[in-house]
Amino acid sequence: MKHPRRVAALAAVAALALAVSGCGSSSGSGGKKSAAGFTAPDVPMAKKLGTKEGAVSILAWPGYAEDGSNDPKTDWVTPFEKATGCQATVKYFGTSDEAVNLIKTGDYDVVSASGDATLRLIAGGDVAPVNTSLLTNYGDIRSFLKDQPYNSVDGQMYGMPQGWGANLLTYNPDVVKPAPTSWSSVFESSSPYAGKITPYDSPIYIADAALYLMNTNPDLGIKNPYALDKEQLAKAVAVLKAQRPQVSEYWSDYLKQQQAFESGDSVIGTSWQFIVNLIDADKKPIKAILPDEGSTGWSDTWMIAAKSKHPNCAYAWLDYIGGPDGNAASAYYFGEAPANTKACDVIATTDKDPSFCDTFHAADEAYAKKLWYWTTPVSDCLDGRTKVKCTTYADWTQAWTEIKG
């Protein structure tokens, strides 16, 4: 597998703002209530497509829109340009917060948004509802990635799914014995692997502790790891403060985590499948599992900016990157399960890697249902509670600062 370039980080919740713009004249989903409790601004949605404008500005996670500038052999943007006549400019971002701020400038047409950013973009009126009937490849997108609480409002989609993956319990089998089956192996107070545990470096990691508590302390009443009231947040923070002295390092750079596992500085922690593949390719001992409790994960969606200057080329990009060839190229390079059901055959043929989609559980809906995809915590509890207010990502950010000291 090629070297992916994902470097993810998350940031605080943005305030609601309305910026009505779009490429069509039909009404969007204004007035519809999201699962997060906000009413979606009335941003227009395209009724039909017109003449392509000849250009599109793409805002992307590294590895999602490669044009050959990083590696001449890695380029799926140029075939898109030749097929559509839309000349693409690509800007990479390093954090979801950066992506949210950049899309507000009006300088970009499309953005690849993770689940922690999508609701902020929808609530802020920064992205337009997407008319999926205008996307010829939408029907081939796996059903369990559509109409989710993080990429839709009351049945109205806001983009084209890109792909998904799990945060896995990863360990060195030569050191960690017996093989772990639960997240307790990284959260128990007296781990035999103290000083060599590596957690993900982000406030969203609080959700991992909350998921652990869902299974070990059901009396707390946690039903959704992103919906924590003050007491539940305090309990999750306590777990992470107890873990802190046992941590070798918090990671966000996948290369550094790869090196830590290979050197033995870290022997167990949270990781991603493609990092495991890289370590395995170096013939170093490594294994990864989806624990009994399930896990957190990510599901990314391509969205169209409300202020898009090239909406027709924007739709063309969504259709291409969600199509079998574009989706196969990006998911394979990036290291995740592709969203398009036909992408696996393309990967098996083009990249001669028939086991790729099995490794990433691309067609395994039961596996996908065990994941709690990154979602921005908001005050209106995502688990449906109405008699209590939940903590927000700003609260989580403050708590994360306290955890790390």
Side-chain angles (χ1 to χ4, degrees), residues 258-279:
Q258 177 189 352
Q259 293 164 1
F261 268 114
E262 292 187 359
S263 68
D265 290 340
S266 297
V267 300
I268 191 167
T270 303
S271 191
W272 299 330
Q273 183 64 54
F274 75 75
I275 303 176
V276 174
N277 291 355
L278 294 174
I279 298 170

Side-chain angles (χ1 to χ4, degrees), residues 188-208:
E188 60 188 8
S189 58
S190 56
S191 171
Y193 312 110
K196 294 188 180 284
I197 296 173
T198 176
Y200 186 54
D201 189 4
S202 168
I204 207 67
Y205 184 66
I206 292 172
D208 291 60

Side-chain angles (χ1 to χ4, degrees), residues 54-235:
V56 65
S57 182
I58 300 169
L59 189 58
W61 285 112
Y64 269 179
E66 293 294 313
D67 58 7
S69 57
N70 291 316
D71 178 357
K73 297 179 181 179
T74 306
D75 181 0
W76 53 88
V77 172
T78 299
F80 161 77
E81 293 175 323
K82 291 180 178 178
T84 64
C86 300
Q87 296 303 301
T89 56
V90 181
K91 180 177 177 59
Y92 301 121
F93 58 84
T95 71
S96 288
D97 191 49
E98 182 183 357
V100 171
N101 289 333
L102 286 170
I103 206 70
K104 290 177 181 294
T105 66
D107 295 333
Y108 304 94
D109 297 301
V110 296
V111 58
S112 62
S114 293
D116 66 295
T118 48
L119 290 185
R120 286 189 275 164
L121 293 171
I122 295 170
D126 300 309
V127 293
V130 168
N131 187 340
T132 57
S133 67
L134 301 178
L135 300 172
T136 59
N137 290 305
Y138 188 75
D140 294 326
I141 298 297
R142 297 197 184 278
S143 59
F144 57 83
L145 300 178
K146 300 176 179 178
D147 301 318
Q148 295 302 309
Y150 53 83
N151 62 16
S152 69
V153 173
D154 196 20
Q156 171 60 58
M157 278 294 290
Y158 274 77
M160 173 72 94
Q162 156 71 32
W164 58 280
N167 296 316
L168 298 171
L169 176 57
T170 304
Y171 64 99
N172 181 330
D174 289 352
V175 179
V176 180
K177 298 178 180 180
T181 60
S182 165
W183 287 112
S184 62
S185 57
V186 297
F187 289 127
E188 60 188 8
S189 58
S190 56
S191 171
Y193 312 110
K196 294 188 180 284
I197 296 173
T198 176
Y200 186 54
D201 189 4
S202 168
I204 207 67
Y205 184 66
I206 292 172
D208 291 60
L211 180 61
Y212 167 69
L213 289 173
M214 278 175 62
N215 291 274
T216 58
N217 193 345
D219 290 344
L220 282 176
I222 299 174
K223 303 299 183 184
N224 181 322
Y226 304 103
L228 306 179
D229 59 36
K230 288 184 179 180
E231 179 185 356
Q232 293 165 339
L233 176 62
K235 293 293 185 181

